[in-house]
């Protein structure tokens, strides 16, 4: 006795002819039907290649037809049913159709979900955002447009991208500059990220770690990850940080006490301004800007020390803050970099711009469940930010930085020998 099963798949040819009769009203359906018809033809060719023509015997066939079944494939972020042939090998096991497997591997549904969430479409509006408002493509139950389905797809794809991001090989990147900055996610969760600039001025998101605060252990975990993935600690680079002492401490522990560290001049100036009355802002900012622009590091240091001396009587705390970390503030000046390159490398603006993209991507999140969720979202934001990266403005002057770092290394390596000779 034969049992007839009614398929829920969309009949591609009938759907296409129906859509053609009212093209203006059913363009989305026409696109779907054309795509399904093309996929159906590809699967039919695969079946014929494996089984030979219908009702014909062939010694070259590898399988035989075993009816049809209905599967689901992604379309406009959702799923639609399509009928596909089934094949059985001579060993009794089912054989896959290469065209069908390739269509499934595309994972359009996951890609749509991740893209929509990165541009701040909430999971509740996912179904509306991926289908035309007047579209007549059916979206039945189980089509993958629910908020939970969209969330699952995002979790799966973002986890995959996070794993690839945190395990990528860094040994082939000729990195000259590394910026490290922190992002407060919640009261007890801090993420520290690193971004590098290679010798061509191209910017690369490098790594991301989580911690309770921006302490030495958290930063050390970030640096250990970079070194484990191929970052050579013996190569001299310029490190740019926002001023946290934990950052400098961890960098010196891994790259040597003489590592070139530049503290962000913008952060430094902002911290000083926040502690001064408004009537002193203009004069203090003018002195700091003049010091940053000087080509002579000794003159710049004297200018800053004179500023601190003038403020010492009335604002002793501010004067101490101005002098704190003065050597690291003037690193790019001591390296004698050109003014254009110095302006690009004297602050953490590149990292701050990336953090701005991360905040935009994550602005719909009302509650961070755990560190894993934060890592996935922030890593996705870093990858999204990388799509808009441009080369460093002064990238043509980066060979000057390489030469300056090498000259600094040679000078510091000969300095102890010179002191010993003088003592003798």
């Amino acid at each position: 006795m034969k049992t007839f099963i009614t398929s829920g798949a969309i009949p591609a040819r009938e759907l296409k002819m129906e859509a053609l009769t009212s093209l203006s009203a059913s363009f989305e359906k026409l696109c779907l039907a054309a795509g399904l018809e093309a996929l159906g033809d590809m699967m039919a060719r695969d079946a014929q290649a494996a089984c030979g023509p219908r009702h014909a015997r062939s010694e070259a066939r590898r399988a035989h037809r075993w009816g049809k079944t209905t599967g689901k494939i992604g379309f406009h972020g959702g799923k639609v049913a399509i009928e596909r042939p089934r094949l059985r090998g001579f060993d009794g096991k089912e054989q896959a159709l290469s065209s069908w497997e390739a269509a499934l591997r595309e994972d359009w549904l996951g890609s749509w979900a991740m893209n929509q969430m990165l541009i701040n479409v909430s999971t509740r509006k996912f179904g509306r955002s991926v289908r035309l408002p007047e579209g007549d493509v059916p979206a039945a139950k189980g089509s993958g447009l629910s908020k939970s389905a969209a969330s699952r797809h995002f979790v799966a794809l973002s986890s995959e991208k996070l794993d690839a991001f945190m395990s990528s090989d860094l040994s082939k990147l000729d990195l000259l500059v590394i910026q490290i900055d922190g992002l407060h996610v919640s009261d007890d969760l801090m993420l520290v990220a690193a971004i590098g600039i290679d010798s061509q001025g191209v910017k690369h998101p490098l790594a991301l770690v989580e911690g309770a605060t921006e302490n030495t252990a958290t930063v050390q975990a970030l640096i250990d990850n970079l070194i484990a993935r191929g970052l050579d600690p013996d190569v001299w680079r310029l490190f740019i940080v926002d001023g946290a002492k934990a950052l400098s401490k961890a960098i010196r522990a891994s790259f040597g006490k003489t590592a070139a560290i530049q503290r962000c001049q913008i952060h430094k100036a902002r911290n000083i301004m926040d502690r001064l009355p408004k009537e002193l802002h203009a004069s203090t900012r003018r002195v700091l800007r003049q010091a940053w622009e000087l080509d002579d590091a000794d003159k710049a240091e004297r200018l800053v020390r004179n500023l601190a001396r003038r403020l010492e009587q009335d604002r002793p705390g501010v004067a101490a803050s101005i002098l704190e970390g003065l050597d690291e503030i003037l690193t790019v000046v001591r390296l004698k970099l050109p003014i254009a390159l110095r302006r690009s490398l004297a602050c953490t603006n590149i990292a701050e711009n990336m953090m701005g993209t991360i905040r935009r991507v994550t602005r719909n999140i009302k509650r961070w469940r755990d560190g894993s969720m934060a890592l996935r979202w922030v890593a996705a934001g870093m990858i999204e930010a990388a799509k808009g990266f441009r080369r460093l403005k002064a990238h043509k002057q980066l060979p000057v930085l390489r030469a300056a770092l090498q000259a600094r290394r040679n000078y510091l390596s000969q300095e102890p020998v010179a002191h010993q000779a003088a003592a003798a």
Side-chain angles (χ1 to χ4, degrees):
M1 179 178 177
K2 294 184 178 180
T3 303
F4 295 95
I5 302 175
T6 302
S7 172
I10 297 177
R13 292 186 183 276
E14 290 79 356
L15 184 64
K16 183 179 178 181
M17 296 307 299
E18 178 187 343
L20 283 170
T21 60
S22 53
L23 177 59
S24 61
S26 304
F27 184 72
E28 186 184 23
K29 184 183 289 186
L30 173 65
C31 295
L32 171 61
L36 294 185
E37 183 180 10
L39 180 58
D41 290 341
M42 293 169 64
M43 291 189 293
R45 287 196 296 269
D46 288 344
Q48 183 166 335
C51 305
R54 284 186 177 276
H55 312 298
R57 296 188 179 276
S58 173
E59 295 181 358
R61 64 176 183 164
R62 306 184 306 274
H64 54 88
R65 293 175 175 84
W66 198 259
K68 294 183 179 181
T69 187
T70 300
K72 290 185 177 181
I73 192 170
F75 175 75
H76 271 211
K79 292 181 180 179
V80 293
I82 181 174
E83 195 173 64
R84 62 180 177 86
R86 298 179 67 185
L87 305 182
R88 289 276 177 146
F90 297 122
D91 57 358
K93 296 181 179 179
E94 185 161 357
Q95 291 190 3
L97 295 167
S98 58
S99 54
W100 176 255
E101 294 294 319
L104 293 179
R105 280 196 302 270
E106 291 292 335
D107 190 23
W108 288 110
L109 185 56
S111 301
W112 270 86
M114 185 163 186
N115 183 62
Q116 294 293 92
M117 296 178 78
L118 287 176
I119 58 176
N120 297 122
V121 175
S122 67
T123 55
R124 295 178 184 274
K125 298 178 180 179
F126 180 70
R128 178 181 173 186
S129 68
V130 298
R131 293 290 171 90
L132 296 177
E134 291 80 22
D136 46 9
V137 174
K141 185 178 181 180
S143 59
L145 297 179
S146 66
K147 64 176 184 178
S148 57
S151 180
R152 285 194 300 270
H153 287 297
F154 178 82
V155 169
L157 198 54
S158 60
S159 298
E160 179 184 336
K161 289 186 176 294
L162 173 63
D163 293 340
F165 172 61
M166 292 298 292
S167 60
S168 59
D169 184 16
L170 302 180
S171 60
K172 297 180 180 179
L173 295 180
D174 184 19
L175 297 175
L176 289 179
V177 181
I178 295 178
Q179 291 192 12
I180 302 177
D181 202 358
L183 175 68
H184 284 278
V185 175
S186 61
D187 293 339
D188 56 351
L189 183 59
M190 159 75 73
L191 297 180
V192 181
I195 180 172
I197 304 173
D198 65 21
S199 58
Q200 302 301 314
V202 180
K203 304 163 189 174
H204 305 270
L206 299 178
L208 180 70
V209 297
E210 85 284 0
T213 60
E214 196 174 3
N215 53 30
T216 304
T218 303
V219 181
Q220 190 63 54
L222 176 74
I223 294 175
D224 290 344
N225 176 269
L226 295 176
I227 295 175
R229 289 162 50 199
L231 187 71
D232 189 353
D234 294 329
V235 175
W236 272 52
R237 301 176 180 86
L238 177 65
F239 293 89
I240 307 175
V241 299
D242 63 359
K245 294 181 179 179
L247 296 175
S248 299
K249 183 177 179 181
I251 291 171
R252 296 189 190 283
S254 298
F255 297 94
K257 295 181 179 180
T258 56
I261 300 176
Q262 171 66 43
R263 288 180 56 176
C264 179
Q265 294 176 351
I266 294 178
H267 277 84
K268 186 70 173 181
R270 187 184 302 147
N271 293 339
I272 294 171
M273 295 302 116
D274 289 343
R275 299 179 62 179
L276 286 175
K278 289 185 178 180
E279 58 268 19
L280 295 177
H281 282 191
S283 58
T284 303
R285 188 179 291 109
R286 184 168 55 251
V287 173
L288 291 176
R289 186 181 298 111
Q290 184 180 355
W292 305 156
E293 297 291 326
L294 285 175
D295 294 329
D296 190 324
D298 293 333
K299 290 182 180 179
E301 183 175 344
R302 284 198 299 270
L303 203 62
V304 175
R305 290 188 180 278
N306 289 338
L307 173 63
R309 193 177 298 112
R310 291 197 299 271
L311 295 173
E312 189 172 7
Q313 184 66 33
D314 296 331
R315 306 284 174 175
V318 179
S321 176
I322 292 174
L323 297 177
E324 190 269 326
L326 183 57
D327 288 341
E328 293 181 354
I329 291 293
L330 298 174
T331 298
V332 292
V333 182
R334 296 189 189 283
L335 290 174
K336 301 185 183 302
L337 301 181
I339 186 64
L341 184 60
R342 196 189 314 163
R343 287 172 178 169
S344 297
L345 301 181
C347 60
T348 57
N349 277 357
I350 297 173
E352 290 292 334
N353 289 339
M354 182 178 69
M355 294 300 178
T357 301
I358 293 171
R359 292 186 183 95
R360 175 185 61 77
V361 167
T362 60
R363 68 185 180 187
N364 283 343
I365 299 178
K366 302 300 186 289
R367 182 172 68 91
W368 295 95
R369 293 185 178 85
D370 48 41
S372 176
M373 176 185 178
L375 282 173
R376 287 190 292 98
W377 271 96
V378 174
M382 292 174 68
I383 296 171
E384 179 73 7
K387 297 176 183 177
F389 282 168
R390 298 181 180 179
R391 293 173 72 182
L392 192 72
K393 283 185 177 180
H395 64 274
K396 294 183 179 179
Q397 298 175 343
L398 284 173
V400 179
L401 172 62
R402 188 191 294 276
L405 290 171
Q406 186 60 44
R408 175 186 170 93
R409 181 174 190 171
N410 295 339
Y411 172 76
L412 293 176
S413 62
Q414 296 172 2
E415 195 174 25
V417 177
H419 285 316
Q420 291 176 7

